[in-house]
Amino acid sequence: MLNLLSEPKQDGPIAILPTETQGTLHADWLKDFFDSSKDDVLSQSFAEGVLLKSSGTEIKIAPEAEALLNSWGNRWIDKLQAGVAVPPGPYFTRTTLCGKSCGFMMIIKGHLFWLPNQRTKTASMEPFAEWRVAIKDAFDIRGLKTSMCNKAYLELYPPASATASSIIHIIEGGSSILEKTKLSSFLSREEAAESVDFQAPWNPRADGYQTTGGSISGSAAAVAAYDWIDIGIGTDTNGSIRRPAQCNGIFGLRPSQGIFPQDGMFTVFKHFDVPGIFARDLDKLAAFAKTWYGTRLTEGNAENLPLRVILPTDLLPEEDNPQKKIVLDFLEDFESFLHIKADRIKLSELWAQSPPKEAEGQGMHEYLDDVGRDTFLYANYHSGTAFHDTYCEKFGKKPFVSKFVQWRWKVGSTISNKVHEEAMRRMDVYKDWFLNVVMQVGETETFVVMQSEDVSPKYRDDPPPSVFPNTSTSPDTANASSQRILHPARLAPMVDFIHSRSPRDCDPR
């Protein structure tokens, strides 16, 4: 990030050209520079704005060079002051608050952003030097504001004084942080039709009008849309990595709970919230995870335990459908790769056979009936009270939040501390039962294969789900044995795999 210009000529892509030795800029030199460059980002579209590097002497522009630049869409040309140490290549200027609706949210004014290329990245020995990263705007980065995709929140709080612990390691390791990205406000499950303060990102898959999922909509859309963005970083509570990964057709990884400290990261349920990552390529996902998580990735892992794969059949739809077939086909491939046969189990039957004593005879679904609501929505409400009260005190009015966030907070406000504590106790009982009876921790190294939820294409113009005021229809109040809550409740890592997508009317891709 370089603050080189007193005021950029215009927002958008620009190219800085190494013209220190050029007395006159000719078309042949321009064509050769753009055509022969080894930079994997630079293209003629960056000639929209041109900055000429100078040794202090005047640089003339030949008429044929000016004509060529105009054919490439050039809008302005300027000269960098002599002696500025900045490498030539592609850059991006942004002086307004909001960036492209594809998922970028720029919150720095009057700055020049370098889009680093593959050649310069790999020359560094820093651990993250080869990575271009987009980060969800729920993480604090020193000197930048955090918006939570809510204008009132953005207005209330000053730029962050420190960077989130989980992010500073990446920055200090040499990563190129490209953007902070959009999200569903306050980590909610907003669909596109519910996004009010900032337009929801656009999904590049299928016909381009499917929703991006939430809450990490921007990071997922950015990774899916641009192959020069290596990694998207976000947070996951009860689906914020999983839903955008499946909606945008990319890989997602939710790591084990507690692998990173949570300071500088907005949370709505500290028992579940954890940073996670997106990638278009599974090898890149694994490589970045190994570097980012370091030794924490393998701490506590037992060695030489027998491998085991399980498929909870009661989490699959009863009827045959394309999604179920994909899961079963993947399982068959996984079995073949590991040379083992998966155990088909039913969680409810296993609970009935080996129930935790704390359940006192209750079936699994009965025992966990309201646990999802009474744990998550209680914590969600209390995560927003400081913001709400501080805004009211400072501005003399209530902050605007979307109807879905209002609904979450309204339901959460009705849950007493006593009810919440009982729900948390039941969640812990379920977690221990699942780890010991289902996962057989300490005895086997167990992989669980399941679909994350029943899915069908959802579109930007679809009306919001009818969750007001009937709590039974919201995913936030799902039974704690559901797929969405099962993953974080058992504390284990989870990887989302790409699956085929259904078009709306036709699929141009």
Side-chain angles (χ1 to χ4, degrees), residues 160-218:
S161 59
T163 299
S165 295
S166 54
I167 300 301
I168 196 168
H169 179 49
I170 300 173
I171 296 175
E172 292 179 346
S175 174
S176 301
I177 306 300
L178 300 179
E179 265 83 24
K180 296 185 80 177
T181 61
K182 290 181 179 180
L183 61 147
S184 301
S185 64
F186 295 104
L187 312 187
S188 64
R189 183 226 30 86
E190 287 176 342
E191 297 295 347
E194 299 170 282
S195 299
V196 177
D197 279 344
F198 299 98
Q199 186 183 42
W202 290 81
N203 189 331
R205 303 297 187 184
D207 63 359
Y209 280 87
Q210 295 191 25
T211 62
T212 49
S215 65
I216 321 173
S217 48

Side-chain angles (χ1 to χ4, degrees), residues 3 20 29 55 93 135 183 197 236 254 309 377 435:
N3 196 5
E20 299 96 323
W29 184 92
S55 59
T93 61
I135 297 178
L183 61 147
D197 279 344
D236 188 285
R254 175 197 163 93
V309 178
L377 290 182
L435 292 176

Side-chain angles (χ1 to χ4, degrees), residues 122-322:
T122 54
S124 173
M125 295 301 292
E126 294 176 309
F128 289 100
E130 64 180 284
W131 300 101
R132 302 185 187 105
V133 177
I135 297 178
K136 181 181 184 178
D137 196 23
F139 292 94
D140 287 343
I141 297 179
R142 185 173 64 86
L144 307 184
K145 280 195 167 189
T146 301
S147 77
M148 297 305 301
C149 243
N150 175 270
K151 288 184 177 179
Y153 193 94
L154 183 67
E155 180 185 20
L156 177 61
Y157 293 111
S161 59
T163 299
S165 295
S166 54
I167 300 301
I168 196 168
H169 179 49
I170 300 173
I171 296 175
E172 292 179 346
S175 174
S176 301
I177 306 300
L178 300 179
E179 265 83 24
K180 296 185 80 177
T181 61
K182 290 181 179 180
L183 61 147
S184 301
S185 64
F186 295 104
L187 312 187
S188 64
R189 183 226 30 86
E190 287 176 342
E191 297 295 347
E194 299 170 282
S195 299
V196 177
D197 279 344
F198 299 98
Q199 186 183 42
W202 290 81
N203 189 331
R205 303 297 187 184
D207 63 359
Y209 280 87
Q210 295 191 25
T211 62
T212 49
S215 65
I216 321 173
S217 48
S219 291
V223 168
Y226 300 105
D227 59 5
W228 46 267
I229 297 179
D230 300 307
I231 295 293
I233 292 180
T235 63
D236 188 285
T237 307
N238 64 351
S240 290
I241 288 283
R242 289 158 278 167
R243 291 191 71 245
Q246 68 191 22
C247 288
N248 294 276
I250 56 178
F251 296 102
L253 172 63
R254 175 197 163 93
S256 299
Q257 184 69 24
I259 202 167
F260 285 116
Q262 295 178 332
D263 64 286
M265 181 183 86
F266 191 93
T267 62
V268 292
F269 189 24
K270 291 183 181 294
H271 291 80
F272 280 14
D273 291 316
V274 62
I277 56 181
F278 296 117
R280 295 166 64 97
D281 181 88
L282 190 57
D283 289 335
K284 280 190 175 182
L285 186 84
F288 187 87
K290 289 177 181 177
T291 306
W292 192 21
Y293 304 149
T295 57
R296 293 183 296 267
L297 192 66
T298 55
E299 285 177 358
N301 286 0
E303 296 182 359
N304 301 320
L305 291 177
L307 293 178
R308 179 169 168 259
V309 178
I310 61 174
L311 175 73
T313 57
D314 42 356
L315 296 182
L316 287 173
E318 293 183 4
E319 71 283 357
D320 292 333
N321 60 33

Side-chain angles (χ1 to χ4, degrees), residues 1 94 230 268 275 300 306 309 313 316 381 414 426-427 471 483:
M1 184 180 66
R94 176 61 69 184
D230 300 307
V268 292
V309 178
T313 57
L316 287 173
Y381 163 69
T414 66
R426 293 192 177 210
M427 181 76 78
T471 61
Q483 298 101 311

